[in-house]
C-alpha cells in the first residue's frame, strides 16, 4: 500500500507541476507572439486552464492581458487591459502565429488613450489637420486646422464625448469654438474600436475623460 501511495503522490506532484507550468509556458509564448505585432512591447499574459490539457484544444477559462505603451495598427495606446473568459481558439492557427477564434466567450476590454494618441488618430482618420488634443476632467480640447469652402481656417474647440449609436465609436460633441458657444457644430468621430483589430466583436460600454486620459470600456455584446 505504501508503494501505491508513493506512486500516487508522485503523480499528483507531476500533474500539479504541469497544471502550474503549462498555462504559464503558453502565456509566455502568446506574449512573445503579441510583441511581434504591437511595436515590440511584451504584454503581461496570464492564462487559467483547468485541467491544463484543455489547452491542447485551444480552450481556457480565463486569459488576462495587460499591454502598456503598445502600438496597434499605428495607434500608440497608453494601456490596454483584456479579460477574456471561456473562449476557444484554433491551435493550428496559433502554430502559424495567427489568432482564429472558434468560441468567442466573453471579453471585457479597457483602453486608455492620451492626448498625443488621439492627435495621431485624428491626423490619420479625421478632417482636422495638424490636430493637437488635450484632455481634462470632463472636457476635451482640439486645436488644428479645417478646410471650409477651400479655405484653411484655424480650429480651437472644446467639447464632450459620447458613444455612437452602434457602440463602435467615440464621438466628440463641440460645445464652443474659440470661446464662443456653438452647440450645433458638426460632431467628430475621434476613436473607432475596430481600429484595435481585436479577435472578438466588441461594443463600447462607456467613455470617461479623466486628467490627461481617455478611458474606454468595451465588452462582448
Amino acid at each position: 500500500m505504501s508503494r501505491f501511495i508513493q506512486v500516487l503522490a508522485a503523480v499528483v506532484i507531476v500533474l500539479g507541476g504541469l497544471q502550474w507550468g503549462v498555462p504559464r509556458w503558453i502565456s509566455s509564448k502568446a506574449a512573445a507572439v503579441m510583441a511581434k505585432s504591437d511595436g515590440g512591447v511584451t504584454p503581461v499574459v496570464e492564462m487559467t486552464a483547468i485541467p491544463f490539457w484543455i489547452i491542447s484544444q485551444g480552450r481556457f477559462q480565463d486569459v488576462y492581458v495587460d499591454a502598456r505603451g503598445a502600438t496597434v495598427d499605428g495607434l500608440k495606446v497608453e494601456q490596454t487591459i483584456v479579460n477574456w473568459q471561456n473562449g476557444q481558439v484554433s491551435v493550428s492557427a496559433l502554430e502559424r502565429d495567427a489568432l482564429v477564434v472558434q468560441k468567442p466567450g466573453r471579453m471585457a476590454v479597457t483602453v486608455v488613450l492620451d492626448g498625443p494618441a488621439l492627435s495621431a488618430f485624428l491626423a490619420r482618420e479625421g478632417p482636422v489637420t495638424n490636430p493637437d488634443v488635450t484632455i481634462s476632467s470632463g472636457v476635451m480640447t482640439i486645436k488644428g486646422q479645417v478646410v471650409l469652402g477651400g479655405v484653411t481656417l484655424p480650429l480651437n474647440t472644446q467639447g464632450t464625448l459620447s458613444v455612437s449609436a452602434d457602440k463602435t465609436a467615440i464621438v466628440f460633441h463641440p460645445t464652443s469654438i474659440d470661446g464662443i458657444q456653438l452647440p450645433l457644430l458638426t460632431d467628430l468621430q475621434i476613436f473607432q474600436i475596430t481600429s484595435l483589430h481585436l479577435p472578438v466583436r466588441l461594443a463600447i460600454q462607456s467613455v470617461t475623460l479623466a486628467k490627461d486620459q481617455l478611458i474606454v470600456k468595451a465588452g462582448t455584446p
Side-chain angles (χ1 to χ4, degrees):
M1 180 63 69
S2 61
R3 178 64 175 173
F4 172 76
I5 293 176
Q6 290 174 356
V7 171
L8 182 60
V11 169
V12 170
I13 291 171
V14 170
L15 289 176
L18 290 172
Q19 182 63 68
W20 181 89
V22 171
R24 284 161 178 76
W25 180 77
I26 296 294
S27 297
S28 65
K29 297 293 287 184
V33 170
M34 292 179 192
K36 295 179 181 179
S37 59
D38 66 4
V41 175
T42 301
V44 173
V45 179
E46 298 175 357
M47 174 183 287
T48 300
I50 302 173
F52 67 87
W53 53 81
I54 67 173
I55 297 175
S56 64
Q57 302 169 349
R59 296 162 51 208
F60 53 86
Q61 280 90 22
D62 186 83
V63 171
Y64 171 84
V65 179
D66 185 352
R68 298 171 184 264
T71 300
V72 182
D73 194 29
L75 177 66
K76 187 170 183 179
V77 179
E78 188 169 334
Q79 184 178 22
T80 301
I81 298 175
V82 179
N83 196 332
W84 189 7
Q85 297 178 332
N86 298 319
Q88 184 175 5
V89 299
S90 168
V91 175
S92 60
L94 285 177
E95 292 173 347
R96 302 190 302 270
D97 291 343
L99 183 59
V100 176
V101 177
Q102 294 181 321
K103 179 184 175 183
R106 300 290 297 176
M107 181 180 288
V109 178
T110 299
V111 179
V112 180
L113 300 159
D114 58 13
L118 292 170
S119 299
F121 183 84
L122 283 178
R124 186 180 65 182
E125 305 288 345
V128 181
T129 57
N130 301 315
D132 180 18
V133 178
T134 55
I135 303 170
S136 60
S137 296
V139 178
M140 175 177 289
T141 301
I142 301 176
K143 298 180 181 180
Q145 293 87 38
V146 293
V147 178
L148 295 175
V151 179
T152 301
L153 300 174
L155 176 70
N156 183 354
T157 180
Q158 289 186 334
T160 59
L161 300 180
S162 69
V163 180
S164 63
D166 62 1
K167 298 186 181 301
T168 64
I170 303 300
V171 180
F172 174 76
H173 304 283
T175 56
S176 67
I177 181 167
D178 291 329
I180 302 173
Q181 299 299 317
L182 294 173
L184 298 181
L185 287 174
T186 303
D187 290 344
L188 183 66
Q189 180 176 295
I190 65 164
F191 177 71
Q192 183 83 24
I193 192 69
T194 55
S195 66
L196 297 181
H197 296 294
L198 294 167
V200 175
R201 185 173 66 90
L202 298 177
I204 298 176
Q205 298 166 338
S206 67
V207 55
T208 304
L209 286 170
K211 181 175 175 56
D212 301 324
Q213 289 182 330
L214 169 62
I215 304 171
V216 182
K217 292 184 180 294
T220 46

